[in-house]
């Protein structure tokens, strides 16, 4: 019992250090972008109050109500993110309509693709906006902004292998200091100009739209920057859990953000020229350089939110059949969601660095920001409505109310950001289209290949009956065949018998799966089946691993040797036969030639089964079977 409060505090600090880095650093560039995007906006009270009101109520409705209160309820076995939500929606629709279930899954894949686009922009704009604070202290620092940003980004992606738990533990206290600084800086200016509190009234947001509809519409394209971390918040739920994320938001993040935005608004009213960079000019001269340092660290943390979110979305995409098996490393002994995906990490790093050098400033990147994230907002709302209706049985009026309130706000944000497409928004859309094509291609390719592979494998029971009938010669030793199930025959087993015309004295087929718990005791992990004949030397082992348990098949054999059916198996003397599919591109219908080639390239880059299963290379034989695509 004594350890629970400490663990809870650790998760709360971790959530501050990972989940809220993105939305927590929005004050660096959000209001600056709003007031520089359209010069028609004036620093007079009606416009400032209108913008502040839109900022405040966007945070209230989109983040506090939609995401923190409602969307976080929709987890898929603890995992969050648009792909997890799509999986829930698919499960809800599967009995009613397979076609609709497939449609929501495709919609989830599109949301994931848009999230990847956001994940490229966020680290670049966050780090650049912080380092650009050097220019406020002295213009001569402008030349070092780009190289310093590149170094910081490199270090950020390099530390990902430590895992989000450790990274969050280090970053958490820093983010406590960051949010405290936001609150103090904002509160000091609000005390000087308390009339800015009037901007919290929603009437100013309404009047702003009525009086200046065109200006308000353009401003919405930048106001969305204050809520861009909301989707990352949901995607990171698997890393820390629902409760710590909610507590951190209402206890610290939301109050600090509100005070800081109010303070920036008050400063603009008092000193109109501060629109150029209201965040840093909110501070006295002596505090600006220390704040640049703190902001730089905070923006590194901001990038962590979308990076760890990308890891979670990637694993969910793998589960749903949209990506091949990638190398995923568990980085926590307690939290299933805390993972590291090396391939995703370094691909993201290359894209972020390219974008940083291509756009060079946070102002340029702000023009590209928003299209992807607002598209993801709309998709999340749509999928949530499906889950709420089919799984939670919401009434019609509840669905309509939720859809109208949040859908109308997000549709406004999305259409306002479409104006950015020609100014850089095309980049996130290009990334999203590329990723979406990859996701759909892998799933479609798997749909084409899987039936052909199952046909080649054939039923295991029929293959065993054939072995018995042909009296094929037995040779000494144990042959182990990793295979996903016990219904079909491992291709490597078929190939071994067909080419060598012998079978081993002992044949062991092992199927493994991973459960959503940290550890499973060995006495509960294995199920051994003689497949109907205890005397033919053929057995099947089902091994269930906890997410912290290594998928060690040699150890499975050592443990199975203590079972009556596994007696005599020597784990150090067996030979492992791994089935590998060689894909051949054909002109058969089902998919375009270029997509077939993309599918084959993705298959070649999948993680090694030998490495994943901890098989000894010197005793592992890989047998290939050709499957046409």
């Amino acid at each position: 019992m004594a350890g629970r409060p400490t663990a809870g505090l650790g998760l709360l600090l971790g959530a501050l250090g990972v989940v809220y880095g993105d939305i927590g650093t929005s004050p660096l560039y959000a209001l600056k972008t709003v007031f520089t995007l359209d010069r028609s906006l004036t620093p007079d009270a009606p416009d400032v109050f209108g913008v502040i009101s839109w900022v405040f109520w966007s945070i209230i409705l989109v983040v506090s109500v939609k995401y923190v209160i409602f969307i976080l309820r929709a987890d898929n076995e603890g995992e969050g993110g648009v792909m997890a939500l799509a999986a829930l929606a698919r499960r809800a629709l599967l009995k009613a309509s397979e076609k609709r279930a497939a449609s929501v899954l495709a919609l989830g894949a599109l949301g994931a693709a848009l999230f990847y686009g956001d994940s490229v922009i966020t680290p670049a704009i966050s780090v650049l906006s912080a380092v650009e604070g050097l220019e406020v202290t002295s213009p001569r620092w402008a030349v070092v902004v780009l190289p310093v940003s590149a170094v910081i980004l490199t270090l950020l992606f390099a530390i990902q292998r430590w895992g989000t738990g450790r990274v969050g533990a280090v970053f958490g206290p820093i983010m406590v200091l960051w949010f405290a600084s936001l609150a103090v800086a904002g509160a000091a200016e609000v005390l000087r100009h308390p009339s800015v509190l009037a901007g919290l009234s929603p009437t100013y947001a309404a009047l702003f739209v009525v009086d200046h509809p065109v200006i308000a519409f353009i401003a919405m394209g930048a106001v969305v920057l204050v809520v861009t971390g909301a989707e990352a918040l949901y995607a990171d739920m698997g890393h820390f859990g629902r409760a710590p994320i909610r507590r951190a938001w209402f206890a610290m993040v939301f109050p600090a953000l509100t005070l800081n935005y109010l303070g920036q608004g008050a400063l603009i009213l008092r000193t109109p020229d501060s629109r150029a960079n209201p965040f840093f000019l909110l501070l006295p001269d002596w505090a600006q350089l220390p704040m640049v340092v703190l902001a730089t660290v905070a923006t590194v943390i901001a990038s962590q939110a979308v990076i760890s979110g990308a890891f979670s979305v990637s694993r969910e995409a793998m589960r749903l059949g949209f990506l091949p098996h990638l190398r995923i490393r568990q980085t926590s002994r307690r939290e299933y969601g805390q993972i590291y995906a090396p391939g995703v990490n370094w691909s993201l790093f290359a894209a972020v660095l390219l974008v940083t050098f291509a756009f060079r400033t946070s102002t340029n990147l702000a023009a590209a920001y928003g299209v992807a994230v607002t598209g993801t907002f709309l998709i999340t709302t749509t999928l949530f409505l499906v889950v709420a209706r089919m799984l939670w049985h919401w009434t019609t009026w509840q669905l309509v109310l939720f859809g109208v309130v949040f859908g109308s706000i997000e549709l406004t944000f999305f259409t306002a950001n479409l104006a950015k497409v020609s100014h850089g928004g095309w980049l996130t859309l290009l990334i999203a289209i590329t990723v979406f094509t990859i996701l759909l291609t892998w799933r479609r390719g798997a749909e084409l290949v899987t039936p052909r592979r199952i046909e080649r494998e054939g039923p295991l029971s029929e293959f065993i009956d054939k072995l018995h009938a042909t009296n094929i010669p037995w040779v000494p030793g144990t042959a182990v065949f990793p295979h996903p199930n016990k219904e079909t025959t491992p291709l490597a087993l078929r190939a071994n018998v067909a080419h060598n015309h012998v079978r081993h004295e002992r044949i062991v087929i092992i199927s493994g799966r991973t459960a959503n718990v940290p550890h499973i005791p060995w006495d509960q992990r294995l199920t051994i089946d003689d497949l109907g004949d205890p005397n033919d030397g053929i057995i099947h082992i089902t091994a269930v691993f906890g997410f912290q348990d290594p998928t060690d098949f040699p150890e499975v054999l050592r443990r199975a040797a203590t079972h009556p059916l596994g007696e005599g198996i020597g784990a150090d003397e067996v030979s492992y036969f791994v089935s590998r599919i060689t894909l051949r591109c054909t002109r058969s219908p089902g998919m375009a030639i270029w997509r077939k080639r993309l599918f084959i390239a993705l298959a070649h880059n999948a993680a090694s089964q030998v490495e994943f299963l901890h098989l000894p290379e010197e005793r592992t034989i890989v047998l290939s079977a050709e499957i046409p695509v």
Side-chain angles (χ1 to χ4, degrees):
M1 292 293 291
R4 288 185 181 178
T6 304
L9 180 61
L11 286 174
L12 191 142
L13 281 174
L16 278 172
V18 172
V19 176
Y20 289 114
D22 187 1
I23 199 167
T25 52
S26 295
L28 278 164
Y29 50 80
L31 280 193
K32 178 179 77 170
T33 304
V34 171
F35 281 94
T36 56
L37 189 64
D38 187 348
R39 297 295 178 181
S40 301
L41 269 176
T42 67
D44 297 330
D47 284 2
V48 173
F49 287 175
V51 169
I52 292 297
S53 184
W54 263 108
V55 167
F56 177 72
W57 286 101
S58 295
I59 294 173
I60 285 280
L61 293 172
V62 175
V63 186
S64 297
V65 179
K66 178 190 166 182
Y67 275 93
V68 176
I69 293 177
F70 286 107
I71 300 293
L72 286 184
R73 292 177 55 201
D75 68 283
N76 186 23
E77 297 181 351
E79 290 282 359
V82 68
M83 287 300 291
L85 189 58
L88 280 178
R90 173 179 175 270
R91 190 184 309 162
L93 288 170
L94 204 52
K95 293 180 180 178
S97 169
E98 287 190 13
K99 188 174 181 180
R100 289 167 64 192
S103 298
V104 299
L105 206 55
L107 192 62
L110 178 58
L114 290 167
F115 181 79
Y116 282 116
D118 179 39
S119 300
V120 172
I121 298 290
T122 295
I125 191 173
S126 298
V127 172
L128 277 172
S129 62
V131 180
E132 284 169 355
L134 291 171
E135 298 179 48
V136 176
T137 60
S138 175
R140 70 175 183 272
W141 288 108
V143 293
V144 304
V145 168
L146 206 56
V148 168
S149 298
V151 170
I152 291 169
L153 288 167
T154 302
L155 292 173
L156 169 66
F157 283 92
I159 65 172
Q160 293 306 311
R161 63 179 181 273
W162 293 354
T164 50
R166 292 181 183 178
V167 171
V170 174
F171 285 171
I174 297 172
M175 290 307 290
V176 170
L177 177 60
W178 170 255
F179 286 116
S181 301
L182 290 185
V184 170
E189 190 62 37
V190 170
L191 289 174
R192 294 191 191 98
H193 205 305
S195 64
V196 76
L197 292 171
L200 298 180
S201 170
T203 57
Y204 282 100
L207 288 171
F208 184 52
V209 173
V210 171
D211 294 341
H212 312 290
V214 176
I215 296 173
F217 183 75
I218 295 171
M220 288 305 99
V223 169
V224 73
L225 296 175
V226 305
V227 294
T228 49
E231 189 62 36
L233 174 158
Y234 179 41
D236 283 327
M237 180 170 64
H239 292 260
F240 299 100
R242 184 185 300 118
I245 292 174
R246 281 179 172 164
R247 289 174 190 149
W249 172 254
F250 288 113
M252 176 164 279
V253 182
F254 175 58
L257 290 176
T258 301
L259 282 170
N260 196 264
Y261 285 124
L262 284 169
Q264 289 189 47
L267 177 65
I268 292 170
L269 283 172
R270 182 169 61 87
T271 312
D273 289 344
S274 64
R275 288 178 295 172
N277 201 324
F279 178 82
F280 285 107
L281 293 173
L282 194 61
L283 302 158
D285 292 343
W286 62 267
Q288 287 178 359
L289 189 57
M291 183 56 95
V292 169
V293 175
L294 180 59
T296 302
V297 177
T299 53
V300 169
I301 299 168
S303 306
Q304 182 66 44
V306 291
I307 295 170
S308 53
F311 295 162
S312 296
V313 169
S314 297
R315 178 161 69 179
E316 201 66 28
M318 285 168 49
R319 280 179 168 183
L320 295 172
F322 284 98
L323 282 176
H325 180 72
L326 304 174
R327 287 183 61 196
I328 299 286
R329 186 164 64 83
Q330 201 71 38
T331 60
S332 169
R333 294 186 179 276
R334 295 183 301 273
E335 299 297 323
Y336 175 64
Q338 293 186 14
I339 56 174
Y340 169 59
V344 176
N345 184 65
W346 294 113
S347 298
L348 205 55
F349 168 67
V352 168
L353 213 58
L354 181 64
V355 164
T356 302
F357 281 101
F359 283 79
R360 304 184 71 83
T361 71
S362 63
T363 303
N364 292 339
L365 273 169
Y369 211 18
V371 179
V373 75
T374 51
T376 311
F377 284 170
L378 286 168
I379 290 171
T380 300
T381 296
T382 304
L383 294 173
F384 179 82
L385 289 173
V386 174
V387 171
R389 180 71 184 94
M390 303 300 293
L391 287 184
W392 301 342
H393 308 295
W394 277 21
T395 61
T396 302
W397 74 265
Q398 289 174 310
L399 296 170
V400 171
L401 180 63
F402 189 94
V404 169
V405 171
F406 300 108
S408 59
I409 294 171
E410 292 164 356
L411 189 61
T412 301
F413 282 146
F414 180 72
T415 51
N417 275 276
L418 287 179
K420 295 182 179 181
V421 170
S422 60
H423 300 287
W426 58 267
L427 175 66
T428 50
L429 292 180
L430 178 62
I431 295 169
I433 291 168
T434 302
V435 174
F436 188 56
T437 301
I438 289 171
L439 296 177
L440 291 190
T441 297
W442 179 260
R443 184 170 178 83
R444 178 57 183 156
E447 288 173 351
L448 293 175
V449 168
T450 300
R452 295 169 188 172
R453 174 171 179 157
I454 291 174
E455 184 181 356
R456 287 284 300 272
E457 290 171 343
L460 179 59
S461 57
E462 291 183 9
F463 181 80
I464 293 175
D465 290 342
K466 187 177 178 181
L467 279 183
H468 294 163
T470 55
N471 294 317
I472 192 167
W474 292 32
V475 295
T478 301
V480 178
F481 298 88
H483 192 63
N485 59 69
K486 64 178 180 180
E487 283 72 43
T488 60
T489 311
L491 288 174
L493 175 56
R494 281 192 177 277
N496 189 43
V497 171
H499 293 290
N500 297 320
H501 307 293
V502 295
R503 54 150 290 184
H504 285 74
E505 183 181 11
R506 281 186 167 278
I507 295 174
V508 181
I509 301 170
I510 307 181
S511 302
R513 65 180 180 86
T514 302
N516 287 357
V517 294
H519 296 286
I520 294 179
W522 277 105
D523 60 354
Q524 301 173 24
R525 190 178 298 183
L526 304 184
T527 303
I528 304 179
D529 184 1
D530 61 16
L531 299 174
D533 188 342
N535 301 312
D536 66 356
I538 304 174
I539 63 172
H540 178 272
I541 302 174
T542 300
V544 183
F545 301 91
F547 62 76
Q548 266 296 324
D549 299 322
T551 50
D552 189 337
F553 274 23
E555 183 62 24
V556 168
L557 290 179
R558 280 188 279 271
R559 299 285 179 165
T562 62
H563 190 280
L565 287 175
E567 187 177 353
I569 296 176
D572 298 326
E573 300 170 358
V574 305
S575 298
Y576 296 90
F577 293 82
V578 175
S579 306
R580 184 176 67 188
I581 298 298
T582 301
L583 300 171
R584 177 169 55 86
C585 186
T586 68
R587 294 192 175 275
S588 59
M591 202 160 56
I593 292 292
W594 67 269
R595 291 185 69 195
K596 290 182 178 181
R597 288 174 179 161
L598 174 59
F599 175 73
I600 292 170
L602 291 170
H604 285 163
N605 286 283
S608 166
Q609 191 178 11
V610 175
E611 179 185 354
F612 179 69
L613 301 178
H614 295 77
L615 306 183
E617 291 189 10
E618 68 278 6
R619 288 187 285 112
T620 299
I621 300 157
V622 179
L623 297 175
S624 296
E626 187 177 81
I627 301 288
V629 183

